[in-house]
Amino acid sequence: MTARRAYADVAHGQIHVVTAGDSGPWVVLLHESPLSWRVYEPAIEPLAQHFRVMLPDTPGYGGSTPGERSWEVPDYAAALLVAVRQTVGDEPFIVLGCHTGASIALEVARQAEGQARGAVFLGLPAYDPETRADRLAHWAPDKAVSPDGSHLADMWDRYTRIWDAPPLAAKNRAVLDALGALEHYNWGYNATFRYDPVPALVALGIPVLFLTAEHDALADADRRCAEMIGARLAKLPGLPGQIGVRAPQRLADELHAFAATLDA
């Protein structure tokens, strides 16, 4: 399956976009920070059997122009929605997001005003205020290039710590993506930690699927949110996270099944 690359012009610069697939409904996949579309790369081929797939890089990550340090989640979503509409036109789409990408996906769905026909969350950061404050203070401190190169090992150690025994190639890709955005790698994180997704989730009014790795750090948050709004929760047993890398066919199958319920 050949993935096609393009850039969408938006107010602050450009959004890098990867697309694949020639038929079926549109699905937009938003990555976690500070990574890129490549966290879904293994899933592109199985997804493109049923969907037209759009994978944009969040502003500041991958190949997309950074926004501002002061941006909040709705700002990221607004820029991405411009890129989405340049790609899919006025056709409906399903939006999927993981971790920081889940918060942004929620806002994309809210701002799309009915064009988003369903939303899928792979770990929605629905933290209580105390946890959000702690994450802001400690999770992603500012970083810069070190003269001795220690920032390289530091980022490798970070993904050793926060990902549970990932495939080596996926870990290497994550580190490269994070290093490529080093001086603003935490902007997306911190916008997410300042954002409470619950009000928007409760008011969303479209079908929602929580697709959760059993041992993901946000698995409990997904369970609580699914119960709160009466959404379906699909748990992937044994997985620590990174569904697009570790279980790409399951991701495609679950998304296909979800899409079928929207047509029923």
Side-chain angles (χ1 to χ4, degrees):
M1 171 61 60
T2 301
R4 301 175 290 274
R5 299 176 184 234
Y7 286 88
D9 292 321
V10 297
H12 79 281
Q14 291 187 309
I15 302 289
H16 176 243
V17 174
V18 174
T19 59
D22 298 313
S23 61
W26 279 103
V27 59
V28 179
L29 286 80
L30 303 183
H31 61 83
E32 61 197 275
S33 297
L35 308 184
S36 74
W37 69 275
R38 289 188 180 274
V39 295
Y40 297 116
E41 190 170 12
I44 290 177
E45 185 168 354
L47 282 167
Q49 294 177 18
H50 306 290
F51 299 101
R52 286 171 290 171
V53 184
M54 177 185 177
L55 305 103
D57 285 335
T58 302
Y61 305 106
S64 292
T65 308
E68 300 292 335
R69 189 184 187 101
S70 61
W71 270 21
E72 303 294 350
V73 165
D75 301 309
Y76 285 100
L80 285 165
L81 184 56
V82 172
V84 169
R85 286 175 165 159
Q86 287 185 30
T87 304
V88 313
D90 59 1
E91 292 190 55
F93 61 88
I94 299 166
V95 62
L96 176 151
C98 177
H99 288 208
T100 52
S103 293
I104 297 169
L106 172 58
E107 272 294 316
V108 167
R110 187 187 69 81
Q111 294 180 25
E113 297 181 338
Q115 190 176 0
R117 59 200 296 257
V120 182
F121 303 124
L122 283 63
L124 181 65
Y127 298 118
D128 58 53
E130 293 76 16
T131 303
R132 285 195 281 120
D134 181 73
R135 290 288 192 271
L136 271 171
H138 302 296
W139 181 257
D142 288 349
K143 294 184 183 294
V145 174
S146 302
D148 63 358
S150 59
H151 62 288
L152 306 175
D154 178 63
M155 197 58 74
W156 186 264
D157 291 344
R158 179 179 180 83
Y159 279 92
T160 301
R161 184 176 71 254
I162 68 174
W163 282 10
D164 183 3
L168 187 60
K171 179 179 175 183
N172 188 61
R173 181 72 251 176
V175 170
L176 291 173
D177 280 341
L179 289 170
L182 186 67
E183 294 181 354
H184 53 267
Y185 88 103
N186 57 359
W187 292 6
Y189 275 136
N190 291 338
T192 299
F193 299 148
R194 292 189 295 265
Y195 176 76
D196 180 2
V198 171
L201 179 66
V202 169
L204 192 57
I206 61 174
V208 169
L209 169 66
F210 287 89
L211 181 59
T212 307
E214 181 181 12
H215 303 299
D216 190 288
L218 290 167
D220 284 345
D222 276 2
R223 177 187 53 78
R224 292 193 303 270
C225 287
E227 291 174 354
M228 181 189 313
I229 65 169
R232 179 169 174 260
L233 173 69
K235 184 182 291 186
L236 277 60
L239 284 185
Q242 300 81 54
I243 294 172
V245 170
R246 300 182 196 254
Q249 186 63 56
R250 180 69 185 276
L251 174 64
D253 291 345
E254 290 286 352
L255 194 53
H256 185 222
F258 177 66
T261 68
L262 304 180
D263 297 327

